[in-house]
Amino acid sequence: MEIKIAGVVEESYVDGPGIRFAVFVQGCPHNCEGCHNPETHDFGGGHIVDSDILFEQCIENTLIKGVTFSGGEPFCQAGALYKLGCRFKEHGLNLMCYSGWTFEELLEKSHGEDDVKKLLSILDYLVDGKFELSQRSLTLRFRGSTNQRIIDVQQSLSQNRTITVEL
């Protein structure tokens, strides 16, 4: 399966807990002012990579504890990331994802978009919401602005309410 990416960070310490393999997808409809990765916004940019290559690249490193999907907007490629994410989960890695949409917006989208529902179903954590420059904070772990939340996706789905956590 092909995924359009801006790039990867093979050992990230800032994109979630532990040493992580971070995949930065290409394309984002949000265009947040002050975005940390504005080069990922253009849907025409980046390059196509086979998901098998990303998987192999990640599992070569036995120090990796989890995978983070960032971007860009991962939910614009939810189907491909779901399939790749399933492979990572089978390998024992946890999954974290960043999205400019809120958890509630993604739940609403999931009613009509099966791939969004599938991707949500395998995530451990979601950092949700657009980056808001006026709410920027350098003291937050794994977030850029105070409006963004870290959601425990599995607990939230099972309890049918949004459950936030600090990692």
Side-chain angles (χ1 to χ4, degrees), residues 92-159:
L93 299 171
N94 68 63
L95 287 178
M96 185 163 176
C97 186
Y98 285 79
S99 178
W101 285 299
T102 65
F103 181 62
E104 294 79 10
E105 289 169 330
L106 289 168
L107 287 175
E108 184 65 31
K109 287 174 81 56
S110 74
H111 295 301
E113 297 179 39
D114 199 42
D115 288 339
V116 170
K117 184 176 187 175
K118 286 179 180 179
L119 182 54
L120 280 173
S121 77
I122 62 169
L123 294 178
D124 295 292
Y125 301 107
L126 171 74
V127 177
D128 77 337
K130 294 179 181 179
F131 170 74
E132 297 288 344
L133 188 58
S134 65
Q135 297 180 51
R136 179 179 179 219
S137 175
L138 299 177
T139 63
L140 299 171
R141 283 189 86 192
F142 312 129
R143 294 169 287 161
S145 57
T146 57
N147 64 297
Q148 294 174 311
R149 305 172 294 178
I150 302 173
I151 309 292
D152 182 322
V153 178
Q154 296 308 304
Q155 286 294 316
S156 297
L157 292 174
S158 71
Q159 295 185 30

Side-chain angles (χ1 to χ4, degrees), residues 36-127:
H36 184 68
N37 299 317
E39 67 281 357
T40 66
H41 293 184
D42 181 6
F43 283 92
H47 62 280
I48 301 290
V49 66
D50 189 283
S51 61
D52 289 342
I53 292 171
L54 292 173
F55 180 76
E56 293 299 326
Q57 189 178 0
C58 175
I59 66 167
E60 284 177 358
N61 186 342
T62 58
L63 298 176
I64 298 295
K65 300 298 179 211
V67 175
T68 298
F69 297 143
S70 192
E73 174 54 65
F75 282 90
C76 288
Q77 296 186 63
L81 292 177
Y82 167 73
K83 290 177 182 173
L84 178 59
C86 285
R87 293 182 69 192
F88 287 134
K89 294 291 281 189
E90 289 169 4
H91 198 70
L93 299 171
N94 68 63
L95 287 178
M96 185 163 176
C97 186
Y98 285 79
S99 178
W101 285 299
T102 65
F103 181 62
E104 294 79 10
E105 289 169 330
L106 289 168
L107 287 175
E108 184 65 31
K109 287 174 81 56
S110 74
H111 295 301
E113 297 179 39
D114 199 42
D115 288 339
V116 170
K117 184 176 187 175
K118 286 179 180 179
L119 182 54
L120 280 173
S121 77
I122 62 169
L123 294 178
D124 295 292
Y125 301 107
L126 171 74
V127 177

